[in-house]
């Protein structure tokens, strides 16, 4: 009888733990991800016909598309159904990069991201 009395508090703890897990699982938010295609290219260079693409260069200070400085509202108008190569500065925060990709995706643009390879020491 003593062994049964020792197990009852453990059963209570197990049920409390399960209840806590179920409560946290129901409170989780659903995260909607952007569909991003990543292409792996070996060393070398790729030949791109730039006349078919608009080149969007983004730094912390400005956005330039085909040599013209623009703002984000202008970008959504210019990017509608366009093919865009996105050149991003290394010092640009990731949040800003993701918001730009989202903005371009909502405008219906096809986006390719140009990444500068880091030099190995």
């Amino acid at each position: 009888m003593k062994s049964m009395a020792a197990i009852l508090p453990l059963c209570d703890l197990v049920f409390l733990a399960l209840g806590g897990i179920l409560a946290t699982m129901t409170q989780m938010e659903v995260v909607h991800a952007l569909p991003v295609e990543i292409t792996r290219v070996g060393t070398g260079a790729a030949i791109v016909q730039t006349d078919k693409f608009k080149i969007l260069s983004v730094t912390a200070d400005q956005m330039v598309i085909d040599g013209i400085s623009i703002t984000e509202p202008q970008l959504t108008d210019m990017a509608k159904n366009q093919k865009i190569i996105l050149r991003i500065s290394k010092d640009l925060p990731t949040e800003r990069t993701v918001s730009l990709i989202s903005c371009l995706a909502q405008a219906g643009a096809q986006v390719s991201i140009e990444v500068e390879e880091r030099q190995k020491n």
Side-chain angles (χ1 to χ4, degrees):
M1 202 50 133
K2 285 185 178 180
S3 63
M4 189 64 134
I7 293 177
L8 289 177
L10 293 177
C11 290
D12 290 340
L13 290 176
V14 169
F15 286 124
L16 283 174
L18 287 174
I21 291 170
L22 289 174
T24 55
M25 288 177 63
T26 58
Q27 298 300 320
M28 289 185 179
E29 291 184 28
V30 176
V31 177
H32 299 283
L34 292 172
V36 177
E37 293 182 23
I38 299 176
T39 306
R40 273 288 214 192
V41 180
T43 58
I47 299 172
V48 177
Q49 296 176 340
T50 56
D51 58 330
K52 294 183 179 181
F53 293 89
K54 291 186 179 273
I55 298 175
L56 175 63
S57 300
V58 183
T59 62
D61 301 332
Q62 65 178 352
M63 287 192 300
V64 177
I65 191 164
D66 289 339
I68 303 167
S69 183
I70 60 169
T71 61
E72 195 162 333
Q74 292 172 326
L75 175 63
T76 56
D77 292 335
M78 293 180 77
K80 288 186 180 172
N81 302 320
Q82 296 290 325
K83 293 181 181 179
I84 295 178
I85 297 176
L86 186 59
R87 290 183 181 163
I88 299 173
S89 172
K90 290 180 183 179
D91 59 342
L92 195 69
T94 305
E95 296 85 17
R96 177 81 170 121
T97 304
V98 171
S99 73
L100 281 172
I101 293 171
S102 175
C103 175
L104 291 168
Q106 288 176 356
Q110 294 178 1
V111 181
S112 298
I113 301 173
E114 183 178 278
V115 180
E116 184 177 327
E117 186 176 344
R118 292 186 180 180
Q119 299 295 324
K120 295 180 182 178
N121 294 335

